[in-house]
Amino acid sequence: MIVLDASTLVGAAIRRGSVPDRAMRHAFATDRVAVSIDVVAELIDVLHRPRLARFVDPVFRDDVLSLVDTEGVVFTPTERVTDCRDPKDNLYLELALASGAGMIVSSDADLLVLHPWRGVRILRPAEYLAVGPHA
């Protein structure tokens, strides 16, 4: 099980073939990707922000959202954590706990600084592609 954060998914929506896009597609093809209602809500919010809209191709955005919706495995976190210096990013840690994920793929410095967190690896998309889904 793996968690992809908004930075990875937004990166995939900005440019097809980018490292975040390849990491996202690799994760969905080779592993199970955990999602939660809160994660999907944040992703939708970020992808529709006016200042980001000019960078996001609507076709790529819809492709990412469709993949998350149809292929993501939904979990409902029950344990709250406050370990991240950016409180908004705790939702990814909570999802990792709820799903038993062994890895979070992120470009967010607030999450990356926690690596490893409670046995969960937190890797950049390029690092994830280099080690593979189960390493």
Side-chain angles (χ1 to χ4, degrees), residues 7-113:
S7 67
T8 300
L9 296 169
V10 169
I14 289 175
R15 198 170 107 223
R16 182 134 320 147
S18 65
V19 171
D21 180 57
R22 291 192 337 257
M24 176 195 71
R25 293 183 188 287
H26 184 69
F28 277 106
T30 63
D31 210 332
R32 294 176 25 176
V33 178
V35 298
S36 70
I37 291 171
D38 291 339
V39 165
V40 173
E42 181 187 39
L43 178 61
I44 291 169
D45 175 61
V46 172
L47 286 172
H48 288 89
R49 287 182 183 163
R51 67 184 179 119
L52 188 62
R54 66 184 178 170
F55 301 109
V56 176
D57 183 307
V59 173
F60 296 171
R61 178 195 63 217
D62 293 345
D63 186 37
V64 168
L65 290 171
S66 176
L67 196 55
V68 167
D69 183 51
T70 60
E71 300 295 325
V73 181
V74 179
F75 289 87
T76 303
T78 56
E79 183 179 344
R80 296 292 166 218
V81 297
T82 58
D83 297 353
C84 191
R85 63 188 181 196
D86 181 351
K88 293 182 294 184
D89 290 332
N90 283 316
L91 65 108
Y92 298 102
L93 302 175
E94 293 166 357
L95 177 58
L97 283 179
S99 66
M103 190 179 305
I104 297 172
V105 178
S106 174
S107 297
D108 188 321
D110 295 319
L111 288 169
L112 291 165
V113 72

